[in-house]
Amino acid sequence: MENDDKLVLGGHEFTSRFILGSGKFSVDLIKAAVDQAGAQIVTMALRRVEAGQKDNILDFIPKGVTLLPNTSSARTAEEAVRIARLSREIGCGDFIKIEVMRDSKYLLPDNAETIKATEILAKEGFIVLPYMYPDLYAARALVDAGAAAIMPLASPIGTNKGLSTRDFIQILIDEIDLPIIVDAGIGRPSQACEAMEMGAAAIMANTAIATAGNLPLMAQAFRKAIEAGRAAYLAGMGRVRETASASDPLTGFLGD
Amino acid sequence: MVRINGNDVAAAGQNLQAFLEQKGYRCDRIAIELNGAIVPRKTYAAVTLHDGDSMEIVHFVGGG
């Protein structure tokens, strides 16, 4: 891969295009997962802390990794803004992944509230990465609201069902002039690769890694798939045709 | 009583920084919201908790 192929988010450059979630697995495995994923960005969530609770996930994240807190548990723009501000107060940078959802069965994002939260937080200097349902008008509104990237879902969170929204993500890739980071529902390396071949700027995955039999090995498989898909996209796909096209010269046969 | 993360705690009259240290919170890992407003870490020592205050103490956990 060319070293000058950078993912740029809010003026920050990344060579990795794999954003790793840190949920649903032991903190003891985070370092191995991050290392094998080659991830430079890791997501996390904000929750209440108990008195005397000494263990903290930040102690397990390798140095130099950019933290991407999410606003999960927010049901409205107002709650997302509150969580974002508290997250920034912990002192790990200005990145925020907005998640606003009220539906607990499918965890689908509320695009309208997400747009409102994006506008407020972008004005406050946050680098805003909104998780959204892949809708072109909502994506355009997020661009106008100051988002640094758009994060459309492939399938509902945690389902590992792959690119259910494939054609609509392609529309966003084609029409939106911001990095499109496919988030949620990617279950296999092949699906991550396909999204990258389509022109996605990056992949965010958590459950696919966290629920794998060998977590660091799956992180490595995703890294390779994402790199392969990116290289294929940059290379430009070979053409498809209906009839055969010989790969070998059609002259100079033995016995001619 | 001070309402902390949804529980009533006998902390009224205490200095916030002293309270956090006594209870074993890691000040470099948390964020605090007191009565709906964020309390910057560098001002913990200047804050006194009052009866009826409502406080949220949060930190990062694993998440997607």
Side-chain angles (χ1 to χ4, degrees), chain A residues 97 100-101 106-111 130-135 150-159 162-170 172 180-186 204:
Chain A
K97 176 186 161 190
V100 183
M101 37 220 178
Y106 299 106
L107 295 174
L108 293 176
D110 182 322
N111 282 354
Y131 170 62
M132 58 95 71
Y133 194 85
D135 171 85
I150 306 288
M151 301 182 84
L153 64 93
S155 284
I157 291 172
T159 60
L163 284 166
S164 307
T165 57
R166 184 187 195 286
D167 293 355
F168 301 96
I169 287 177
Q170 186 70 65
L172 300 191
I180 303 297
I181 301 172
V182 178
D183 182 8
I186 294 285
M204 151 87 214

Side-chain angles (χ1 to χ4, degrees), chain A residues 22-23 43-49 51-54 56-57 59 69-70 82 85-86 89-90 97 99 204 206, chain B residues 5-7 23-26 28-33 36 38-41 56-64:
Chain A
S22 62
T43 63
M44 52 200 53
L46 191 77
R47 292 291 183 272
R48 285 171 165 173
V49 55
Q53 194 175 333
K54 291 295 177 197
N56 186 279
I57 191 168
D59 302 331
N70 68 38
R82 181 182 176 201
R85 288 171 179 160
L86 274 167
E89 202 59 31
I90 291 178
K97 176 186 161 190
E99 290 184 28
M204 151 87 214
N206 186 342
Chain B
N5 288 353
N7 299 309
K23 290 289 185 184
Y25 288 99
R26 290 177 61 183
D28 59 335
R29 293 285 189 251
I30 60 174
I32 290 186
E33 193 186 66
I38 286 173
V39 183
R41 189 175 289 145
E56 292 288 335
I57 310 177
V58 295
H59 70 162
F60 285 136
V61 299

Side-chain angles (χ1 to χ4, degrees), chain A residues 219-244:
Chain A
Q220 182 195 103
F222 264 80
R223 172 174 60 77
K224 289 175 175 172
I226 289 164
E227 287 174 0
R230 179 64 182 174
Y233 170 75
L234 292 175
M237 293 297 166
R239 86 252 184 297
V240 174
R241 44 179 278 171
E242 293 303 317
T243 56

